[in-house]
Each structure stands twice: as C-alpha cells, then as structure tokens.
C-alpha cells in the first residue's frame, strides 16, 4: 500500500466526516486531530502539520460555503485542497525541448537510482522518445551490468565499460556514441571513498555533460530528512528536479514528499515499487485524490464544482470561449459532454449552434475517446498546452509512443482544430437555453 497507513487513516477520517450529521467547531477540531495524527505518523514536519491544521480550521469555520454546497462538502474540499498544497500544488513534468536532451542522474547508493533510470527510460519510450543510457559509475562495476540487465527488454543502447576507471572519459565516449538519440541519460556513481571525491566528480561530470536537467533520486523511506538532501542538492546544481522512490508501503513517505515540496524543489516522478512499471509522473492533485480514497469523495466534490460553475467561475469554459482552447481543455470537455448527454443533443439546445458543429462531432464515441486519451498520454505537457508545436516529427514520435498510426495523430489534431474553431464561433454568440444559462 502507498505510504503505509497514511492513506488508510486519511480515508477513514474523510469517511467519518462524510457521515457526520452536522458540522460544527467540535467536529472540525476532531477531524483536524485525526489528520494531524496521520500526518505526524508519516513523519511530516510538525511545523507544517500545525500550519496546515490552522489553515483548515480557519477556512472551515470562517469561509462561507458557495451557494448550494453543504458545509460538509465544503470542509471536505478544504481538507483536500490544503493537503494538495502541502505537496506543492502543481504537477511538474520533464520537458524534452531539444535534441539530444541530456539528463544527469545523481543519488546516493541504494536510493533506487539505477532502478529509476530504467523506469524513466521506459516512460520516455512510451512517449515515443528514443533514449540512450551512459554509465559512468566506476566505483561499482556491477552498476553497468545492472543497467544492461534492467533495460534489456527495452532494447535501448547502454554505453559503458567496466574496465575503464575514468568517469569523465566514459562520459565523453558515451555522449559521442549516443548523439543520435533524442534523450541521453547519464548515470553517475552513488558512492566514493570520500564524500568530497564524489562531489568533485559530480562537478567535473557536470561540466563535461553540460546537462539540460539534473535529476536527483531520493529514498522516500528517510522521511523528512529528504528535505535536507534535496536542499543540499538544489544549492549545488542548477537545474535540479527530484524523483522520490519507495513510496509503496513506506510509512515515512508523506514526510519525504512534504519536506521536499516545502523547499520548493520540483518532484517530477515517484517510485511506487520495484518493477519498471511502478513509476509515475508526480501530480499532487491526483496523488491526494487517490490517498483520500476519492471515489466517493470526488462525487461530493464534483457536485460542489458543478454548482460553482453555475455560479459563474468556470475557468475552462471561460478559456474556451475566449479562444484559448488546448488539447487538455478538449479532453475535459469530452468528459463533461459525456456526463451531460450526447454532444449533438447538447448543441441542439443552443440556438444556432447545432449546425456549426463538425459533422462527426456527435460521434465522439467511447472508443474514440479512449483512443484520443492514449494518444494524449504520449504527448508532452507542452504539446497538450500548445498543440501548434506538433509538426511532422512530433506526429511520428507520438504515433510511435502510443503504438498508433501517424494518421491517428493527425485525425486527433484535425478534430481538435475543427472543434476549436467551432467553440470560438459560438463563444461570440449570445447563448440561451440550459447550456447558455450554465455558462453565464
Ligand atoms: P541504486 O544503488 O541507487 O542504484 O539503487 P537500486 O536501483 O539498485 O535500488 C536499490 C533497491 O531499492 C533495489 O532492491 C530496488 O529494487 C529497490 N527499489 C528501487 N526503487 C524502488 C521503489 O520505488 N519501491 C521499492 N519498493 N523498491 C525500490
């Protein structure tokens, strides 16, 4: 289980909250006590826990719930939002924006560095990239073999030489050999005779590799100490992002995540097991949803959201009507439309809009939706936010990564463009009917 008992305890608290007949100061305080206990058991820093408690209490007792939202739903939402904030609130991705994109990996021996390299390699392959690995760990000869073994099923080039004891030379040779690959991952030693030797080697390696991103791997089982490790690293390197490993079953993972988030170092991925698949891009929102067992709770929140939308602060629709409509927006629109009923039917409710819709728009079937979803999973964040950057080579890469054809990618893009145009079109129109009412 993820993060030991943290998830279980928090879920229990949320269920308890959901079962309360009335929400008053006493109930809020009890809920906060439960949350405090769960977080402290997970080694979250006491100061952070106290701040969080105070914010939850203040907001729960003083903030007026939006119209139509019960006080209970309101408190659930506040707890959820504040827990997300504890983890840094927004997702940060690896953005491969040049070729070759060079990533330098660092991490203490045993942190899960080698395993994480294998995981990231697989992740990038799934996105259609063509990564290579360069091993410069001269301290532990088995490191190269471990990498070879780990990546064997992935069929990626791994450059190294366990006879060569010169890390800098290995880096130079490897970079040259891998220059045709679009991502080069450079592994480094996790241990040395002296710590100062290790740091010196990192510095020289950094000069030679000239990395576009430096990733540090931190063992999540060390709890809030992870914060100090990340801080030291962030001070020593320029472009530092973090992978936190071993969050499966670790009682202290909450401490590691919150401590690293607190110092502002971007956590980009988390390791949740020993297998290559046990790896995910870190998204605080999604992470907390899962931790809280959001199934039931999400339904509650969605109701609150729908009502907030009726109240008129519907960010995505606003963006859409102003013409800023990204692939990400499109996907959430699909999901919303699905909830409201067939798209054509919805559009027919808008005077004058029905005919404007792309011919096949009403046939965005479940099957198409899941196909589009797989394609979008193979896109980078930049591509989802700025689809206009997707040209021929990216089309190929996305198709390769998702196991589909170039035509499929083009179909999605075409659909996106037509929809975007249509959205812009009736954004200018004054809308009546239920949907217009909703968008007011
Ligand atoms: P390195 O010395 O930093 O290269 O560490 P390794 O990659 O060899 O990993 C050390 C140990 O941690 C191995 O037994 C891995 O299987 C294990 N490990 C790595 N990542 C995770 C993870 O996310 N979850 C779990 N449970 N074990 C992990």
């Amino acid at each position: 289980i993820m993060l030991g008992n943290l998830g279980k305890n928090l879920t229990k608290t949320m269920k308890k909250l959901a079962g309360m007949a009335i929400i008053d100061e006493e109930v809020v305080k009890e809920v906060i006590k439960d949350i405090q206990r769960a977080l402290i058991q997970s080694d979250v820093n006491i100061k952070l826990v106290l701040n969080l408690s105070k914010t939850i209490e203040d907001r729960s007792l003083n903030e007026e719930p939006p119209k139509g939202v019960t006080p209970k739903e309101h408190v659930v939402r506040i707890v959820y939002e504040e827990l997300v904030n504890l983890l840094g609130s927004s997702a940060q991705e690896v953005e491969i924006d040049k070729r070759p994109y060079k990533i330098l990996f660092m991490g203490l021996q045993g942190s899960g560095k080698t395993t994480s390299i294998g995981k990231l390699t697989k992740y990038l392959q799934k996105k259609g990239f063509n990564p290579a690995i360069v091993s410069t760990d001269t301290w532990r000869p088995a490191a190269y073999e471990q990498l070879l073994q780990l990546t064997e099923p992935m069929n990626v080039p791994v450059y190294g030489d366990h006879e060569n004891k010169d890390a800098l030379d290995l880096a130079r040779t490897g970079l040259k050999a891998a220059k045709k690959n679009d991502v080069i991952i450079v592994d480094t030693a996790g241990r040395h005779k002296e710590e100062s030797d290790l740091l010196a080697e990192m510095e020289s390696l950094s000069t030679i590799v000239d990395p576009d991103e430096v990733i540090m791997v931190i063992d999540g089982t060390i709890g809030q100490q992870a914060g100090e490790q990340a801080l030291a690293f962030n001070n020593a390197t320029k472009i530092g992002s973090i992978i936190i490993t071993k969050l499966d079953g670790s009682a202290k993972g909450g401490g590691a995540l919150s401590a690293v988030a607190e110092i502002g170092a971007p956590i980009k991925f988390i390791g949740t097991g020993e297998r290559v698949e046990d790896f995910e891009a870190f998204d605080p929102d999604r992470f907390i949803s899962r931790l809280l067992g959001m199934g039931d709770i999400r339904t509650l929140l969605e109701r609150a959201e729908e009502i907030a939308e009726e109240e008129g602060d519907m960010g995505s629709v606003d963006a859409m009507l102003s013409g800023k409509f990204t692939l990400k927006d499109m996907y959430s629109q699909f999901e919303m439309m699905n909830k409201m009923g067939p798209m054509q039917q919805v559009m027919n409710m808008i005077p004058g809009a029905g005919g404007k819709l792309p011919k096949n728009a009403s046939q965005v079937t479940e099957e198409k939706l899941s196909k589009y979803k797989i394609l979008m999973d193979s896109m980078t964040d930049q591509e989802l936010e700025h689809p206009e950057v997707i040209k021929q080579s990216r089309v190929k890469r996305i198709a390769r990564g998702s196991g589909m054809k170039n035509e499929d990618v083009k179909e999605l893009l075409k659909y996106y463009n037509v929809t975007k145009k249509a959205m812009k079109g009736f954004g200018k129109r004054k809308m009546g009917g239920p949907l217009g009412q909703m968008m007011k």
Side-chain angles (χ1 to χ4, degrees):
I1 40 168
M2 183 101 95
L3 300 187
N5 284 326
L6 179 61
K8 214 170 85 196
N9 291 338
L10 288 177
T11 307
K12 212 160 77 193
T13 304
M14 297 309 257
K15 290 229 169 97
K16 188 159 109 187
L17 174 61
M20 293 284 183
I22 46 161
I23 302 294
D24 55 16
E25 191 168 337
E26 201 183 323
V27 168
V28 169
K29 288 203 157 131
E30 194 181 326
V31 165
I32 289 174
K33 274 236 166 63
D34 285 350
I35 295 173
Q36 285 178 336
R37 204 174 301 127
L39 292 177
I40 288 169
Q41 272 174 11
S42 183
D43 198 37
V44 177
N45 180 289
I46 194 91
K47 206 178 87 218
L48 290 182
V49 175
L50 292 178
N51 284 344
L52 174 104
S53 311
K54 193 171 174 323
T55 315
I56 294 180
E57 183 171 335
D58 279 354
R59 288 188 60 193
S60 299
L61 299 178
N62 300 323
E63 226 174 68
E64 197 64 32
K67 213 170 105 207
V69 176
T70 68
K72 199 191 307 181
E73 291 164 341
H74 190 52
V75 175
V76 168
R77 194 191 177 93
I78 290 170
V79 171
Y80 167 78
E81 283 174 1
E82 293 307 326
L83 284 172
V84 172
N85 272 337
L86 190 67
L87 298 187
S89 77
S90 72
Q92 311 245 15
E93 277 198 47
V94 169
E95 204 54 77
I96 311 292
D97 53 8
K98 57 186 282 239
R99 220 191 124 97
Y101 189 83
K102 290 173 286 180
I103 302 176
L104 190 66
F105 257 75
M106 295 182 180
L108 297 179
Q109 180 118 313
S111 61
K113 178 165 55 71
T114 313
T115 312
S116 299
I117 289 178
K119 290 172 171 182
L120 181 65
T121 303
K122 174 99 189 224
Y123 177 90
L124 290 170
Q125 269 189 333
K126 235 188 108 195
K127 295 234 175 240
F129 293 104
N130 185 14
I133 302 171
V134 175
S135 168
T136 71
D137 187 349
T138 53
W139 186 256
R140 191 167 60 114
Y144 178 46
E145 263 72 50
Q146 196 190 341
L147 274 172
L148 282 175
Q149 217 174 44
L150 191 65
T151 53
E152 207 217 293
M154 301 173 210
N155 203 13
V156 292
V158 183
Y159 300 101
D161 175 2
H162 58 235
E163 310 261 281
N164 189 340
K165 294 288 168 218
D166 182 348
L168 305 184
D169 186 46
L170 283 167
R172 266 188 225 106
T173 315
L175 285 177
K176 209 178 283 167
K179 67 171 186 279
K180 288 245 161 64
N181 292 76
D182 44 25
V183 185
I184 305 177
I185 296 175
V186 181
D187 186 20
T188 64
R191 188 156 69 98
H192 243 269
K193 241 192 297 215
E194 303 282 342
E195 200 183 80
S196 57
D197 290 349
L198 181 62
L199 288 175
E201 181 171 300
M202 291 303 143
E203 259 184 67
S204 331
L205 266 176
S206 200
T207 314
I208 287 178
V209 174
D210 186 22
D212 300 294
E213 180 155 359
V214 182
I215 295 185
M216 182 174 204
V217 179
I218 298 180
D219 183 334
T221 63
I222 66 172
Q224 53 176 305
Q225 275 177 46
E228 285 151 45
Q229 232 184 72
L231 191 61
F233 161 73
N234 241 32
N235 288 338
T237 62
K238 266 215 280 305
I239 337 138
S241 37
I242 310 270
I243 295 178
I244 298 188
T245 61
K246 307 184 196 176
L247 288 182
D248 47 310
S250 160
K252 288 186 163 186
L257 288 168
S258 54
V260 171
E262 197 204 2
I263 65 155
I267 302 169
K268 295 206 174 163
F269 296 96
I270 54 175
T272 56
E274 299 194 58
R275 296 170 316 152
V276 180
E277 298 76 36
D278 301 328
F279 187 66
E280 49 190 274
F282 182 61
D283 179 346
D285 245 320
R286 246 191 353 220
F287 187 79
I288 291 294
S289 306
R290 217 167 43 185
L291 205 59
L292 295 181
M294 251 1 212
D296 333 339
I297 296 157
R298 169 156 294 151
T299 325
L300 276 174
L301 290 177
E302 260 165 19
R303 250 211 74 209
E305 215 135 79
E306 267 162 31
I307 288 158
E309 280 158 11
E310 279 167 27
E311 298 282 298
D313 52 33
M314 191 170 170
S316 169
V317 167
D318 279 352
M320 181 173 99
L321 295 182
S322 71
K324 191 199 156 290
F325 177 66
T326 67
L327 275 167
K328 267 190 183 162
D329 295 328
M330 185 163 91
Y331 195 78
S332 42
Q333 294 313 318
F334 282 166
E335 291 187 322
M336 189 176 91
M337 300 283 184
N338 257 5
K339 255 182 268 154
M340 296 196 304
M343 197 151 160
Q344 189 63 53
Q345 205 177 312
V346 174
M347 290 305 154
N348 283 342
M349 295 190 280
I350 308 171
K356 271 271 170 195
L357 211 65
K359 249 210 198 94
N360 57 353
S362 56
Q363 297 156 10
V364 187
T365 56
E366 291 277 322
E367 194 188 330
K368 277 244 162 94
L369 269 189
S370 60
K371 186 167 130 185
Y372 290 163
K373 171 88 172 38
I374 294 169
L375 286 167
M376 290 190 205
D377 281 343
S378 276
M379 294 182 184
T380 64
D381 233 23
Q382 192 204 5
E383 287 159 358
L384 290 171
E385 294 286 355
H386 305 280
E388 66 277 4
V389 303
I390 306 177
K391 300 271 151 55
Q392 192 59 27
S393 69
R394 287 182 189 245
V395 167
K396 269 201 211 136
R397 202 211 71 232
I398 294 163
R400 187 150 31 99
S402 57
M404 298 205 197
K405 298 201 197 73
N406 291 357
E407 286 69 44
D408 295 319
V409 183
K410 285 182 190 154
E411 178 195 306
L412 168 63
L413 289 175
K414 189 165 155 203
Y415 182 81
Y416 160 74
N417 282 322
V418 176
T419 309
K420 180 176 172 170
K421 219 183 254 165
M423 293 292 176
K424 230 172 169 169
F426 63 71
K428 297 201 184 87
R429 204 170 319 230
K430 210 168 162 247
M431 281 183 291
L435 193 62
Q437 212 102 89
M438 202 189 79
M439 289 181 179
K440 250 201 315 233

